[in-house]
Amino acid sequence: MEKFFWPMRIERYEELVGAATLERIMRKAKRLHGLRVINVSSTFYGGGVAEVLSSLTLAQVAIGLRADWRLIQGSPDFFSVTKKLHNALQGGEINLSELKKEIYEEINFHNSLRMQLDADVIVVHDPQPLPLITHYRRCCPWIWRCHLDLSSPRREAWDYVRPFVEEYDAVVMSLPEYAQELEVPQRFFMPAINPFSTKNRELTDQEIEDRLRHYEIPDDLPLVVQISRFDHWKDPAGVIEAFRTARREVDATLVLLGNVATDDPEGQEVFESLLDCKEERILILTAEDSALVNALQRRAAVVMQKSLREGFGLTVAEAMWKGAAVIGGDCGGIRHQIEDGSNGFLVSSVDQAAGRLVQLLKDEKLRRRLGKAARETVREKFLMLRLAEQYLDLFAAFEPRFSLASPRSGPPRQRS
Ligand code: UDP
């Protein structure tokens, strides 16, 4: 038996997207064959950015690009500053002191000294590595890919990051409503899922049951599930409140499965703040297990993603792909995935969430109808091949610059 197999056989998409689409994408990819793309982010693990990059880079390799993915390193105080900046860019409070700016910029400078970026295109993800660009001689296009909900950034935070953003050749955001006043061209790509990964592939009933049993998750009552990083924007407290209200009318078990990204220092605190809510029918779990995510999304009667802010919300697409009935917070990217009443429900308050929860738990036919439409939405709009094609189109727009005599980023331009 083969021990390893090619992780992303691109032809498998044919049955999902059709031969013509696949051929069109492969034609575009052929023109850019061998293109060296370096992605830079701040964590290999935890959260949607890492999830998308692990599949996107493999898809890009499978269609002939030389895709790479590097990380910046940072001390806990660096990640504490970047998390504050992240929150403020999504509208939260910030006290942006000179010391915070110094930590942020200095750690980026140190990373630039260690990181040789020899590529045809460089894609920098999110605010953590954003200032890197200021330390390189630029001989190839640099793209800033912002995954945040930028619909109402705190002015002070945006004014601070904006000069860094203006150094890039293009900015990619998840949605048009995140557009900012910028000189740089802006593009809008929604994230996507890999239908063949451990997290999203088909599972047998036995595999699902094994996962649930392994974590002692009872399925004698319908399961209500939310899977998210432990983060206030995901409103885990609101989910528990809605569940408690709903349970006065219909019995169920709530599972909150969460993790803490290595670049998110607030996660542990949020996790601990929830532990007092644990009871027989409210399980709060943390486990690094993609198959468990898959099993829960498949077995759940209802999947919730009651976020208050959400750049995109990959968990929504993941659950919809599995035909789950999803209740999502009416915000950011969730609004672009759920069409209220036709492939899921959108809610704006705890009471609304509780009401929809009761309705869905009582009505299996409705759950099935919404779930069926949800899967079709993901097939049409949120599969990784669509995202790979959008990147190909963006890279192709820079093609004249790839033919420069020496299309490479030189060594860091030292500033101090
Ligand atoms: N996730 C996971 N285990 C957990 C919690 C989350 O694997 O315990 C994954 C989830 O399946 C999804 C990603 O982390 O792939 C979260 O992405 P999303 O866009 O929903 O939120 P973000 O964390 O990026 O804000």
Side-chain angles (χ1 to χ4, degrees):
M1 199 179 79
E2 249 186 309
K3 190 166 173 210
F4 299 110
F5 49 89
W6 192 238
M8 181 74 75
R9 282 185 295 117
I10 217 72
E11 59 283 4
R12 293 179 74 189
Y13 275 96
E14 185 174 328
E15 63 180 286
L16 299 174
V17 301
T21 301
L22 188 59
E23 270 164 34
R24 182 185 69 233
I25 294 168
M26 293 312 289
R27 249 194 328 271
K28 290 179 181 181
K30 209 166 155 198
R31 284 191 60 172
L32 296 177
H33 189 85
L35 192 81
R36 295 162 308 161
V37 182
I38 297 183
N39 291 278
V40 184
S41 77
S42 63
T43 179
F44 276 143
Y45 154 80
V49 181
E51 180 73 23
V52 170
L53 277 176
S54 46
S55 289
L56 177 65
T57 47
L58 289 177
Q60 288 174 330
V61 169
I63 59 179
L65 308 189
R66 286 159 65 191
D68 192 354
W69 177 13
R70 311 277 185 82
L71 289 196
I72 55 160
Q73 298 176 353
S75 52
D77 53 353
F78 171 75
F79 287 120
S80 159
V81 173
T82 57
K83 180 71 199 216
K84 288 189 175 90
L85 197 53
H86 168 118
N87 288 341
L89 288 170
Q90 297 208 127
E93 300 276 345
I94 195 163
N95 161 22
L96 201 51
S97 63
E98 286 309 310
L99 181 61
K100 288 193 185 99
K101 293 181 192 170
E102 196 180 304
I103 292 169
Y104 177 56
E105 291 173 34
E106 189 173 38
I107 296 281
N108 266 285
F109 174 56
H110 293 173
N111 274 279
S112 77
L113 296 176
R114 283 187 295 253
M115 216 185 306
Q116 308 305 314
L117 296 178
D118 217 355
D120 298 310
V121 190
I122 295 166
V123 187
V124 172
H125 296 262
D126 275 350
Q128 298 92 332
L130 171 68
L132 267 187
I133 189 169
T134 58
H135 303 292
Y136 288 81
R137 255 202 324 266
R138 260 155 291 143
C139 306
C140 77
W142 282 65
I143 296 161
W144 187 48
R145 193 346 179 168
C146 178
H147 298 263
L148 308 185
D149 175 343
L150 281 185
S151 51
S152 50
R154 184 80 32 176
R155 207 28 53 207
E156 185 191 356
W158 178 252
D159 287 347
Y160 170 59
V161 298
R162 184 180 164 158
F164 299 124
V165 180
E166 293 281 13
E167 297 228 9
Y168 284 75
D169 297 283
V171 172
V172 177
M173 299 178 182
S174 295
L175 306 176
E177 46 272 42
Y178 302 159
Q180 302 293 319
E181 265 183 43
L182 283 171
E183 301 291 322
V184 185
Q186 298 174 66
R187 299 279 179 280
F188 306 98
F189 302 171
M190 284 192 269
I193 65 158
N194 171 6
F196 310 114
S197 65
T198 307
K199 188 170 282 178
N200 296 316
R201 72 170 172 82
E202 295 294 327
L203 291 180
T204 62
D205 284 343
Q206 190 59 51
E207 285 172 320
I208 295 173
E209 266 138 42
D210 284 350
R211 281 303 81 200
L212 299 187
R213 212 166 313 125
H214 184 81
Y215 292 97
E216 297 177 356
I217 298 170
D219 64 350
D220 52 335
L221 294 176
L223 290 178
V224 176
V225 168
Q226 175 159 307
I227 297 166
S228 286
R229 277 183 305 106
F230 289 111
D231 183 328
H232 290 301
W233 297 116
K234 313 284 182 185
D235 199 19
V239 173
I240 292 173
E241 208 185 323
F243 177 76
R244 284 193 171 133
T245 309
R247 242 188 120 206
R248 289 185 208 130
E249 286 186 55
V250 49
D251 215 359
T253 303
L254 173 66
V255 181
L256 281 184
L257 174 67
N259 60 7
V260 176
T262 52
D263 60 352
D264 180 359
E266 291 173 1
Q268 190 59 27
E269 204 180 296
V270 175
F271 173 62
E272 282 163 20
S273 73
L274 297 170
L275 292 178
D276 282 348
C277 303
K278 269 179 149 180
E279 53 182 80
E280 196 196 343
R281 291 294 170 181
I282 299 182
L283 311 183
I284 297 168
L285 304 177
T286 158
E288 279 320 319
D289 186 338
S290 298
L292 174 63
V293 172
N294 192 341
L296 281 170
Q297 288 167 335
R298 285 182 190 280
R299 183 51 61 91
V302 181
V303 172
M304 303 198 59
Q305 189 55 59
K306 210 204 138 308
S307 305
L308 305 169
R309 283 270 197 289
E310 193 64 78
F312 177 68
L314 209 55
T315 50
V316 173
E318 288 166 359
M320 289 172 74
W321 177 243
K322 289 146 195 150
V326 183
I327 300 176
D330 188 4
C331 64
I334 299 180
R335 279 187 196 145
H336 289 253
Q337 298 177 74
I338 296 179
E339 194 184 325
D340 192 36
S342 36
N343 60 6
F345 284 124
L346 290 171
V347 294
S348 306
S349 68
V350 168
D351 283 350
Q352 257 186 16
R356 291 304 191 192
L357 203 44
V358 171
Q359 184 185 4
L360 283 170
L361 286 171
K362 283 183 174 172
D363 189 344
E364 197 193 336
K365 232 166 110 193
L366 175 63
R367 296 203 299 268
R368 255 191 275 121
R369 175 172 71 74
L370 297 180
K372 198 163 163 233
R375 182 171 167 98
E376 186 52 20
T377 303
V378 178
R379 194 193 63 73
E380 278 175 13
K381 298 190 190 163
F382 300 117
L383 296 182
M384 194 54 71
L385 207 55
R386 183 267 298 153
L387 184 59
E389 184 176 21
Q390 285 179 305
Y391 272 106
L392 284 172
D393 291 341
L394 177 63
F395 297 158
F398 289 110
E399 209 170 351
R401 292 184 50 186
F402 304 146
S403 56
L404 290 176
S406 176
R408 304 197 161 191
S409 260
R413 186 173 76 199
Q414 300 198 357
R415 283 238 165 130
S416 54

